[in-house]
Amino acid sequence: MALDALVIAAHPDDAEIQLAGTMLRLQAAGLRVGVLDLSRGEMGTRGSAEERDAETAAATKLLGLAWRGNLELPDSRVAATLENRERLARLLREHAPRLLFAQHVDDLHPDHSACGRLAREAWYLSGLARAAERDGGPPARRARFLFHYMGHVPFEPALVVDVSAVWARKVEVIRCYASQLAARDARDKGEHLLFGADILTRAETRARYYGERIGARHGEPLHHHGPLPAGDLAWLL
Amino acid sequence: MALDALVIAAHPDDAEIQLAGTMLRLQAAGLRVGVLDLSRGEMGTRGSAEERDAETAAATKLLGLAWRGNLELPDSRVAATLENRERLARLLREHAPRLLFAQHVDDLHPDHSACGRLAREAWYLSGLARAAERDGGPPARRARFLFHYMGHVPFEPALVVDVSAVWARKVEVIRCYASQLAARDARDKGEHLLFGADILTRAETRARYYGERIGARHGEPLHHHGPLPAGDLAWLL
Amino acid sequence: MALDALVIAAHPDDAEIQLAGTMLRLQAAGLRVGVLDLSRGEMGTRGSAEERDAETAAATKLLGLAWRGNLELPDSRVAATLENRERLARLLREHAPRLLFAQHVDDLHPDHSACGRLAREAWYLSGLARAAERDGGPPARRARFLFHYMGHVPFEPALVVDVSAVWARKVEVIRCYASQLAARDARDKGEHLLFGADILTRAETRARYYGERIGARHGEPLHHHGPLPAGDLAWLL
Amino acid sequence: MALDALVIAAHPDDAEIQLAGTMLRLQAAGLRVGVLDLSRGEMGTRGSAEERDAETAAATKLLGLAWRGNLELPDSRVAATLENRERLARLLREHAPRLLFAQHVDDLHPDHSACGRLAREAWYLSGLARAAERDGGPPARRARFLFHYMGHVPFEPALVVDVSAVWARKVEVIRCYASQLAARDARDKGEHLLFGADILTRAETRARYYGERIGARHGEPLHHHGPLPAGDLAWLL
Amino acid sequence: MALDALVIAAHPDDAEIQLAGTMLRLQAAGLRVGVLDLSRGEMGTRGSAEERDAETAAATKLLGLAWRGNLELPDSRVAATLENRERLARLLREHAPRLLFAQHVDDLHPDHSACGRLAREAWYLSGLARAAERDGGPPARRARFLFHYMGHVPFEPALVVDVSAVWARKVEVIRCYASQLAARDARDKGEHLLFGADILTRAETRARYYGERIGARHGEPLHHHGPLPAGDLAWLL
Amino acid sequence: MALDALVIAAHPDDAEIQLAGTMLRLQAAGLRVGVLDLSRGEMGTRGSAEERDAETAAATKLLGLAWRGNLELPDSRVAATLENRERLARLLREHAPRLLFAQHVDDLHPDHSACGRLAREAWYLSGLARAAERDGGPPARRARFLFHYMGHVPFEPALVVDVSAVWARKVEVIRCYASQLAARDARDKGEHLLFGADILTRAETRARYYGERIGARHGEPLHHHGPLPAGDLAWLL
């Protein structure tokens, strides 16, 4: 299925927590958006794989995604192997997104940084004609832009997407992941081991901070590896 | 008057908005803290100089500062001249703080960056014996540490002070500056021209963001120009 | 006169050599563009001030600028004084551009870096209501964006403007400055003292290099001090 | 065995050369300190594995370590595999250190950078509850701080530990590795292939250089990936 | 065969496009230069492996290389494995180059970055005496300098080699790779998928840009991981 | 007097402490070297201006300098004014050095950073033909290279000069400044207020540290603002 934009994420809910606002805006602009989760998140502290599958389905529906897939790599063992990157490259040729989003290659969570590396390598390889011919699938295609979104380590963003107008809907989408928001048991204070605070509080803090960087109420930060084409700058005004 | 810590700020309320939490913690640790404002803030969009003086007095009292002074430089024209830096160096020798705080030398507001430069230059000069002798005042003294605090441009901090426990008091201190929090007239939406949002909202966003960087609810970020002495690392545990 | 975009340059021809393509594209998008030269370039190696005035007039006409002004600061002595920045701030409030362009604050040419600093400081001050009232002119206005363009030192750009379609016209505009393109006398090889090569060759090299960074034939690089608002990203496709 | 601090090193003697002073200070502060070597250093230019084992035992005793272990990975082939990082994560849950130290991820020696990556990934994974349950060992635990220490590539440190008072003892500890300090044969000038100079000379140079950065005679530099919590800053005075 | 300089490249033609000028100058200075290709480039969009072999042979002859080898790793799957790096280390001990050149470790093309990492790791290991003894080949030798050359991502170079005098010959060398310069079929516009423009145009743009950075007509940029020895600086004059 | 190299320093003894080794090597290579002190160092903690003059004369003789001058700017008030930079530019045209050395623009000592800025600005202006004509002195000349040397803040150097062979002579040169090496009175411990340790100890630490970066016993680090021309790289071997 042809997509305009594809978000790659190590675990279900990563795409939503970090990028739901951007996905909603892309769709509002008429683009077809998909999400590829690399694992089923079965090593997450809270929720069974079955619960998480149901929650992902609900979030997918609420977001109105055109497509959602899962590479079924083992959670906590997502690895940037040649095999995984070639599976991903084939998938990129098949869906042919023009905009690609993945976690950052330097993220502290090893699954996140593996996701970032896999996406960067597969993005490059998806554009090689001979690789496409060898695999017998659709012809070579490389997304025009590869952005990295934020996970557990901050970076200086090139762009911030103003998601103020869709913030309330993003919160609803995150709430689909009820198992991730509730404490697991008496010892579980519902807070992240590294950062403290629960998922929604942290998402809001980050959105407000990066929103203010561009003078907006809520924003989602994006990293790009080089300069962006400025068009005629009219989009800034 | 001998001080343990001195905060230098371009305008009254700058020190409070950015660093009230740190000042409260320093005082709770038994240190004598002072604030030196470089101007009376008379070019601020809201409030007269008289109103601002009264508000500053109230904030000073609520903070429990040991000392507050004002260099009476013209607001919007704070300049890193030789004369200003020597006045400041004399003042540093007089109060002999061991910890010094000032705005960042690369801040977008020209008064802020001038404050940062004046502080850095005066800090260095305050330690020269001959300069002290020439001026006929107290002997040379240089603060052990010069930290820069954040204004209108972010930096990657070396340290974040956990101000969660004093956050409510910091908000009260900022509320002393009522003229700065209210809209000036119908056209004034109470929002910052660059960042949108009002002062309290922005202060809370920043505090939450930098707090999360160290796993705390609220934090104030500090820049240092080189490595810090680690002691025996016990302060980390 | 109300402008949408204003380019500030230390010397006549700086704006054209570095940014003529961007100006042509802005105008093609329906924006009113002006140029403010800070000096008449009277210390340039080639051409008299009168020749340069006539050349500037021709280039201004060919570019189709809505406005061109000159602060008449002394060439090679452009300085970031309080007086100069307040003159500039008044001018910014008067023309009220939404996009502002100036040389980079770290440029090796001291006039260029002074231009960058003056622009950054005046840009900030132009938005202070009280400063506007004190000066008795138009109300406070701050351009939404301040970009720095490249001079004698490279930087990693945030954006590159694709100027392929207007490149031939940009070359014609630069050719208006005939005195700058010809050798002055037998010892003058027509090459820049630092970089070798003549103006047109260097302009083309830079345009090709930054063009390739975004997959275009010719490009002009722009620096921005923080993240840019991404809109809905549709401008990228 | 519960530890307060654990130092991970690619080869025996790495921990001592780079971090013996910090370990001595941690112990003087009452903390239990351990060292985990990833290999037995059998590819080192000088000394047999048996000699090195005996030397390591002597150094361990002199340091007064609470624990020392060895993963027995092949020297010059230390690799950041999933299996190795999970072995390391189990070990971290078992010893539950609050402070973790490892070589830097960008070190020029491939074993050092692999050590840095393994430590960073295992550190993250050690905090995942499900991973702990799957492995059947102790519950999830993540060290509060992960510092990288210096090997063959300099970095700008966040902290420098003042080791002046224990410098003489550090030198004695390093001298336990007699095989590493003596020339191997006539062609061996006892100098490092990259840096010249013998181990003790280089250790002293580095200690003096980083010591001066904080105004001390001898120091050991530490890298941290983000801001550190400042406490009440009293530890600085 | 003893070499003075060795250039390592992921694909045949990489060394020529990026570094032919430097190789020609090294040879003109009397040094013996070799090239090691890691793959035969069989996944390149244009040309069969046989065509590319013939082209490589022609380019090798025209360059006048003392040696050319090929590791025959699979194109698009060049991987920084332990086995590959040890093969490479043996080869480095055998040819004993004093200057080593390889692609950059952060290049966007995964084969390029794998080449950079393999070279950096093998370079380090080639100097370990025990590793040399284990392998039974020539004794340990480590090149005095490892430079990275530019591929698909720019970096700030430490040095730029002035290749103006050999530029015409470099163009001839690149023209040996005729299959890479011609369009493959009607859909192939002969332009790079990422950057647009054909190989020769891009090579010239880059050479002119980096040439101007040192005041030369054409230059090739080199990255080095630390400071370089300055000699007596006479080479600069 | 025509010079090949000129070292600009804020205070007498700065040039010697930081760069005596480089000056000795330049002279050994047959170059004519001069030093320009910007002040007489009359605000230094130890020694009268007369003592310092005598010491400077002795050091100048021991170094064998071709020329030494002094701008007689007030110590602790060295300022990057238009007037000072034009005096300096005239001096540069007069002595026409091809290599220029000055302190770093970001040094913590305000005189050092002013020296760095004055040198950078005057260096640029010295190459403008019209400025030379206006001043009626020698024609425009710009040094081919401007290096910054280290003062009170470290930087990552582009080059390190190996001064091992002249280290003993450098120490003798520094010893000429006897007043700076002895304690001034009982309270003066002979240590730097920021860094501790006396001048010779600190000079040796720095020389050893940067020496090791290039595999030498003693080195002096140099900063350059862009890539350096590589020649044929033969100077590296």
Side-chain angles (χ1 to χ4, degrees):
Chain A
M1 170 186 293
L3 295 171
D4 296 300
L6 179 66
V7 179
I8 308 178
H11 317 97
D13 82 4
D14 283 352
E16 281 87 348
I17 294 172
Q18 305 299 345
L19 223 47
T22 298
M23 292 193 277
L24 289 165
R25 285 207 62 181
L26 291 170
Q27 291 182 144
L31 302 186
R32 295 171 65 84
V33 179
V35 170
L36 175 70
D37 302 309
L38 299 185
S39 78
R40 289 177 68 200
E42 68 273 14
M43 298 298 287
T45 302
R46 309 189 193 94
S48 65
E50 292 69 31
E51 281 177 291
R52 298 196 72 167
D53 286 353
E55 292 171 355
T56 302
T60 302
K61 195 172 167 190
L62 192 55
L63 270 170
L65 294 177
W67 180 82
R68 186 154 204 159
N70 198 308
L71 272 199
E72 308 262 353
L73 302 181
D75 186 9
S76 88
R77 289 173 178 158
V78 175
T81 63
L82 294 179
E83 187 195 342
N84 288 342
R85 87 180 183 196
E86 294 185 3
R87 282 180 66 194
L88 185 51
R90 280 193 291 275
L91 215 138
L92 293 180
R93 287 192 294 265
E94 192 180 330
H95 295 291
R98 292 180 289 163
L99 298 172
L100 194 59
F101 302 85
Q103 279 145 330
H104 196 273
V105 297
D106 290 327
D107 201 279
L108 279 181
H109 191 315
D111 285 354
H112 292 187
S113 58
C115 170
R117 260 179 290 140
L118 277 173
R120 188 167 70 179
E121 294 174 0
W123 166 75
Y124 194 89
L125 295 175
S126 66
L128 299 184
R130 284 272 162 80
E133 292 164 10
R134 177 190 60 194
D135 292 349
R141 273 294 301 272
R142 187 183 285 133
R144 177 102 207 264
F145 296 99
L146 165 61
F147 291 104
H148 294 287
Y149 58 89
M150 205 172 280
H152 286 0
V153 164
F155 50 71
E156 178 64 8
L159 298 175
V160 172
V161 181
D162 179 348
V163 298
S164 310
V166 294
W167 181 252
R169 285 183 59 200
K170 171 166 177 172
V171 170
E172 280 178 69
V173 168
I174 295 178
R175 284 196 191 285
C176 291
Y177 292 90
S179 70
Q180 303 303 303
L181 299 171
R184 186 194 191 193
D185 55 36
R187 285 172 318 165
D188 180 351
K189 286 177 291 182
E191 299 189 349
H192 191 275
L193 284 160
L194 272 183
F195 308 106
D198 63 73
I199 288 173
L200 279 170
T201 303
R202 284 188 293 125
E204 198 212 352
T205 298
R206 180 170 288 178
R208 281 171 57 174
Y209 181 80
Y210 287 100
E212 284 184 11
R213 295 289 303 274
I214 57 160
R217 261 177 306 119
H218 296 90
E220 290 174 348
L222 294 174
H223 177 275
H224 191 261
H225 70 272
L228 290 161
D232 60 10
L233 293 168
W235 54 278
L236 284 172
L237 298 175
Chain B
M1 171 186 291
L3 295 171
D4 297 300
L6 179 66
V7 179
I8 307 178
H11 317 97
D13 82 3
D14 283 351
E16 282 87 348
I17 294 172
Q18 305 300 345
L19 222 47
T22 298
M23 292 192 278
L24 288 165
R25 284 208 62 181
L26 290 170
Q27 291 181 144
L31 302 186
R32 295 171 66 83
V33 179
V35 170
L36 175 70
D37 302 309
L38 300 184
S39 79
R40 288 177 68 200
E42 68 273 14
M43 297 298 287
T45 303
R46 309 187 193 98
S48 64
E50 292 69 31
E51 280 176 290
R52 297 197 72 168
D53 286 352
E55 292 171 355
T56 302
T60 302
K61 195 172 167 191
L62 192 54
L63 270 170
L65 294 177
W67 180 83
R68 186 156 205 158
N70 198 308
L71 273 198
E72 307 262 352
L73 303 181
D75 186 8
S76 87
R77 289 172 179 159
V78 175
T81 62
L82 293 178
E83 187 197 340
N84 287 341
R85 85 179 184 198
E86 294 184 3
R87 281 180 66 195
L88 186 49
R90 280 193 291 275
L91 214 137
L92 293 179
R93 286 192 293 265
E94 192 180 330
H95 295 291
R98 291 179 289 163
L99 299 173
L100 194 59
F101 302 86
Q103 279 145 329
H104 196 272
V105 296
D106 290 329
D107 200 279
L108 280 180
H109 191 315
D111 286 353
H112 292 186
S113 57
C115 170
R117 259 178 291 140
L118 277 173
R120 189 167 68 179
E121 294 173 0
W123 166 75
Y124 194 90
L125 296 176
S126 66
L128 299 184
R130 285 271 162 82
E133 292 164 10
R134 177 190 60 195
D135 293 349
R141 272 295 299 272
R142 187 182 284 132
R144 177 100 207 265
F145 296 99
L146 166 61
F147 291 103
H148 294 288
Y149 57 90
M150 205 173 278
H152 286 0
V153 164
F155 49 71
E156 179 65 7
L159 297 175
V160 172
V161 181
D162 179 349
V163 299
S164 310
V166 295
W167 182 252
R169 285 182 61 199
K170 171 166 176 172
V171 171
E172 281 178 69
V173 168
I174 296 179
R175 283 196 191 285
C176 292
Y177 291 92
S179 70
Q180 303 303 302
L181 299 171
R184 185 193 191 194
D185 54 35
R187 284 173 319 164
D188 181 351
K189 286 178 291 184
E191 299 189 350
H192 190 274
L193 283 160
L194 273 183
F195 309 107
D198 62 73
I199 287 172
L200 279 170
T201 303
R202 285 189 293 126
E204 197 212 353
T205 298
R206 179 170 288 178
R208 280 172 55 175
Y209 181 79
Y210 287 100
E212 284 185 11
R213 294 291 302 277
I214 56 159
R217 263 177 307 118
H218 296 91
E220 290 174 348
L222 294 174
H223 178 275
H224 191 260
H225 71 272
L228 291 161
D232 60 9
L233 293 167
W235 54 278
L236 283 171
L237 298 175
Chain C
M1 170 187 293
L3 295 171
D4 296 301
L6 179 66
V7 178
I8 308 177
H11 317 97
D13 81 5
D14 284 350
E16 281 86 349
I17 294 172
Q18 305 299 344
L19 224 46
T22 298
M23 292 191 279
L24 289 165
R25 285 206 63 180
L26 291 170
Q27 290 180 146
L31 302 186
R32 295 171 65 84
V33 179
V35 169
L36 175 71
D37 302 309
L38 299 185
S39 79
R40 287 177 67 200
E42 68 274 15
M43 297 299 286
T45 302
R46 310 189 192 94
S48 64
E50 292 69 30
E51 281 177 289
R52 298 196 72 167
D53 286 353
E55 292 171 355
T56 303
T60 302
K61 195 172 166 190
L62 193 54
L63 270 170
L65 295 177
W67 180 83
R68 187 157 202 156
N70 197 309
L71 272 198
E72 307 263 351
L73 302 181
D75 186 7
S76 87
R77 290 174 179 158
V78 174
T81 63
L82 294 179
E83 187 197 340
N84 287 342
R85 86 180 184 198
E86 295 185 2
R87 282 182 65 196
L88 186 50
R90 281 192 290 275
L91 214 138
L92 293 179
R93 286 193 294 265
E94 192 181 329
H95 295 291
R98 291 179 289 163
L99 298 172
L100 195 58
F101 302 86
Q103 281 144 329
H104 196 273
V105 296
D106 290 328
D107 200 278
L108 279 180
H109 192 316
D111 285 354
H112 292 186
S113 58
C115 170
R117 259 177 291 140
L118 277 173
R120 189 167 69 179
E121 293 173 0
W123 166 76
Y124 194 90
L125 295 176
S126 67
L128 300 185
R130 286 271 163 82
E133 292 165 8
R134 177 190 60 193
D135 293 348
R141 271 297 298 273
R142 188 182 284 134
R144 176 98 207 266
F145 296 99
L146 166 61
F147 291 104
H148 293 287
Y149 58 89
M150 205 173 280
H152 286 0
V153 164
F155 50 70
E156 178 65 7
L159 297 176
V160 173
V161 181
D162 179 349
V163 298
S164 311
V166 294
W167 181 252
R169 286 182 60 199
K170 170 165 177 174
V171 171
E172 281 179 68
V173 168
I174 295 177
R175 284 197 192 285
C176 293
Y177 291 92
S179 70
Q180 303 303 301
L181 299 171
R184 186 195 192 193
D185 55 35
R187 285 174 317 165
D188 181 351
K189 287 176 291 183
E191 299 189 348
H192 190 275
L193 284 160
L194 272 183
F195 309 106
D198 63 72
I199 288 172
L200 278 171
T201 303
R202 285 189 291 127
E204 198 212 352
T205 299
R206 180 170 288 178
R208 280 171 57 174
Y209 181 80
Y210 286 101
E212 284 185 11
R213 295 290 303 275
I214 58 160
R217 262 178 306 118
H218 297 91
E220 290 174 348
L222 295 175
H223 177 275
H224 191 261
H225 69 272
L228 291 161
D232 59 10
L233 293 168
W235 54 278
L236 284 171
L237 298 175
Chain D
M1 172 188 291
L3 295 170
D4 296 301
L6 178 67
V7 179
I8 306 178
H11 317 96
D13 82 6
D14 284 351
E16 281 86 348
I17 294 171
Q18 306 299 345
L19 223 47
T22 299
M23 292 191 280
L24 288 165
R25 285 206 63 180
L26 290 170
Q27 290 181 145
L31 302 186
R32 295 170 66 83
V33 179
V35 170
L36 175 70
D37 302 309
L38 299 185
S39 79
R40 288 178 67 199
E42 69 274 14
M43 297 299 286
T45 302
R46 309 188 193 96
S48 64
E50 291 69 31
E51 282 177 289
R52 298 195 73 167
D53 286 353
E55 292 171 354
T56 303
T60 302
K61 196 173 166 190
L62 193 54
L63 271 169
L65 294 177
W67 180 84
R68 186 155 203 159
N70 197 309
L71 272 199
E72 307 262 351
L73 303 182
D75 186 7
S76 87
R77 289 173 179 158
V78 175
T81 62
L82 294 179
E83 187 196 340
N84 288 342
R85 86 180 184 197
E86 294 185 2
R87 280 181 66 196
L88 186 50
R90 280 193 291 275
L91 214 138
L92 293 179
R93 286 192 294 265
E94 193 180 330
H95 295 291
R98 292 179 290 162
L99 299 173
L100 194 59
F101 302 85
Q103 279 145 330
H104 196 272
V105 297
D106 290 328
D107 200 279
L108 279 180
H109 192 316
D111 285 354
H112 292 186
S113 58
C115 170
R117 259 178 290 139
L118 277 173
R120 189 167 68 179
E121 294 173 0
W123 166 75
Y124 195 90
L125 295 176
S126 67
L128 299 185
R130 284 272 162 81
E133 292 164 9
R134 178 190 59 194
D135 293 349
R141 271 296 299 271
R142 187 182 284 134
R144 178 99 206 266
F145 296 99
L146 166 61
F147 291 103
H148 294 287
Y149 58 90
M150 205 173 279
H152 287 0
V153 164
F155 50 70
E156 178 66 7
L159 297 175
V160 173
V161 181
D162 179 349
V163 298
S164 311
V166 294
W167 182 251
R169 286 182 61 199
K170 171 166 177 173
V171 171
E172 280 179 70
V173 169
I174 295 178
R175 283 195 192 284
C176 291
Y177 292 91
S179 69
Q180 304 303 302
L181 298 172
R184 186 194 190 195
D185 54 36
R187 285 174 317 164
D188 181 350
K189 287 176 291 183
E191 298 189 350
H192 190 275
L193 284 161
L194 272 183
F195 308 105
D198 62 73
I199 287 172
L200 279 171
T201 303
R202 284 188 292 124
E204 198 212 352
T205 300
R206 179 170 289 177
R208 281 171 56 174
Y209 181 80
Y210 287 101
E212 284 185 12
R213 295 290 303 275
I214 57 160
R217 262 178 307 119
H218 296 91
E220 291 174 347
L222 295 175
H223 177 276
H224 191 260
H225 70 272
L228 290 160
D232 60 10
L233 293 167
W235 55 278
L236 284 171
L237 297 175
Chain E
M1 171 185 292
L3 296 171
D4 296 301
L6 178 66
V7 179
I8 307 177
H11 317 96
D13 82 5
D14 284 351
E16 282 86 349
I17 294 172
Q18 305 299 346
L19 222 46
T22 298
M23 291 191 279
L24 288 165
R25 285 208 62 181
L26 291 170
Q27 291 181 145
L31 303 186
R32 296 171 66 83
V33 179
V35 170
L36 175 70
D37 303 309
L38 300 185
S39 78
R40 289 177 67 200
E42 67 274 14
M43 298 300 286
T45 303
R46 310 187 193 97
S48 64
E50 291 68 31
E51 281 177 290
R52 299 196 72 167
D53 286 353
E55 293 171 354
T56 303
T60 301
K61 195 173 166 189
L62 192 55
L63 270 169
L65 295 177
W67 180 83
R68 187 155 203 158
N70 197 308
L71 272 198
E72 307 263 351
L73 303 181
D75 186 8
S76 87
R77 288 171 179 159
V78 175
T81 63
L82 293 179
E83 187 196 341
N84 288 342
R85 86 179 185 198
E86 294 185 3
R87 282 181 65 195
L88 186 50
R90 280 192 291 275
L91 214 139
L92 294 179
R93 285 192 294 264
E94 192 180 331
H95 295 291
R98 291 179 290 161
L99 298 173
L100 195 58
F101 302 86
Q103 281 145 328
H104 196 273
V105 297
D106 290 328
D107 200 278
L108 279 180
H109 192 315
D111 285 353
H112 292 186
S113 58
C115 170
R117 258 177 291 139
L118 277 173
R120 188 167 69 179
E121 294 173 359
W123 166 76
Y124 195 90
L125 295 176
S126 67
L128 300 184
R130 286 272 162 80
E133 292 164 9
R134 178 190 59 194
D135 292 348
R141 271 296 300 274
R142 187 183 284 133
R144 178 101 206 265
F145 296 100
L146 166 61
F147 291 104
H148 294 287
Y149 57 90
M150 206 173 278
H152 287 0
V153 163
F155 50 71
E156 179 64 6
L159 297 175
V160 173
V161 181
D162 179 349
V163 298
S164 310
V166 295
W167 181 252
R169 286 182 60 199
K170 171 166 177 173
V171 170
E172 280 178 71
V173 168
I174 296 178
R175 284 196 192 284
C176 292
Y177 292 91
S179 70
Q180 304 303 302
L181 299 171
R184 183 193 191 194
D185 55 36
R187 285 173 318 166
D188 180 351
K189 286 176 292 183
E191 299 189 349
H192 191 275
L193 284 159
L194 273 183
F195 309 106
D198 63 72
I199 288 172
L200 278 170
T201 304
R202 285 189 291 127
E204 198 214 352
T205 299
R206 180 170 288 177
R208 281 172 57 174
Y209 181 80
Y210 287 100
E212 284 185 12
R213 294 291 302 275
I214 57 161
R217 262 178 306 118
H218 296 92
E220 291 173 347
L222 295 175
H223 178 275
H224 190 261
H225 70 272
L228 290 161
D232 61 8
L233 293 167
W235 55 277
L236 284 172
L237 297 176
Chain F
M1 171 184 293
L3 296 171
D4 297 301
L6 179 66
V7 178
I8 307 177
H11 316 97
D13 82 4
D14 284 351
E16 282 86 349
I17 294 172
Q18 305 299 345
L19 222 47
T22 298
M23 292 191 279
L24 289 165
R25 285 208 62 181
L26 291 169
Q27 290 180 145
L31 302 186
R32 295 171 65 83
V33 180
V35 170
L36 175 70
D37 303 309
L38 299 185
S39 78
R40 288 177 68 200
E42 67 275 12
M43 298 298 287
T45 302
R46 309 187 193 95
S48 65
E50 292 68 32
E51 281 176 290
R52 298 196 72 167
D53 286 353
E55 292 170 353
T56 303
T60 302
K61 196 172 166 190
L62 192 55
L63 270 169
L65 294 177
W67 180 84
R68 187 156 204 158
N70 197 309
L71 273 198
E72 307 263 352
L73 302 181
D75 186 9
S76 87
R77 288 172 180 160
V78 175
T81 63
L82 294 178
E83 188 197 341
N84 288 342
R85 86 181 184 196
E86 294 185 3
R87 283 181 65 194
L88 185 50
R90 279 193 292 275
L91 215 138
L92 293 180
R93 286 192 295 264
E94 192 179 330
H95 295 291
R98 292 179 289 161
L99 298 173
L100 195 58
F101 302 85
Q103 280 146 328
H104 196 273
V105 296
D106 290 328
D107 200 278
L108 278 181
H109 191 315
D111 285 354
H112 292 187
S113 58
C115 170
R117 259 177 291 139
L118 277 173
R120 188 166 70 179
E121 293 173 1
W123 166 77
Y124 195 90
L125 295 175
S126 67
L128 299 184
R130 285 272 161 81
E133 292 164 8
R134 178 190 58 194
D135 293 350
R141 272 295 300 273
R142 189 183 282 134
R144 177 101 207 266
F145 296 100
L146 166 60
F147 291 103
H148 294 287
Y149 58 89
M150 206 172 279
H152 286 0
V153 164
F155 50 71
E156 178 65 6
L159 297 175
V160 173
V161 181
D162 179 348
V163 298
S164 311
V166 295
W167 182 252
R169 287 183 59 200
K170 171 165 176 172
V171 170
E172 280 178 70
V173 169
I174 296 178
R175 285 196 191 284
C176 292
Y177 291 92
S179 70
Q180 304 303 302
L181 299 171
R184 186 194 191 194
D185 54 36
R187 283 174 319 164
D188 181 351
K189 286 176 292 182
E191 300 189 349
H192 191 275
L193 284 159
L194 272 183
F195 309 106
D198 63 73
I199 287 172
L200 279 171
T201 303
R202 285 189 291 126
E204 197 214 351
T205 298
R206 181 170 287 177
R208 281 172 57 174
Y209 182 80
Y210 287 101
E212 284 185 10
R213 295 290 303 276
I214 58 161
R217 261 177 308 118
H218 296 92
E220 290 173 347
L222 295 174
H223 178 274
H224 190 261
H225 70 272
L228 291 160
D232 61 9
L233 294 168
W235 54 278
L236 284 172
L237 297 174

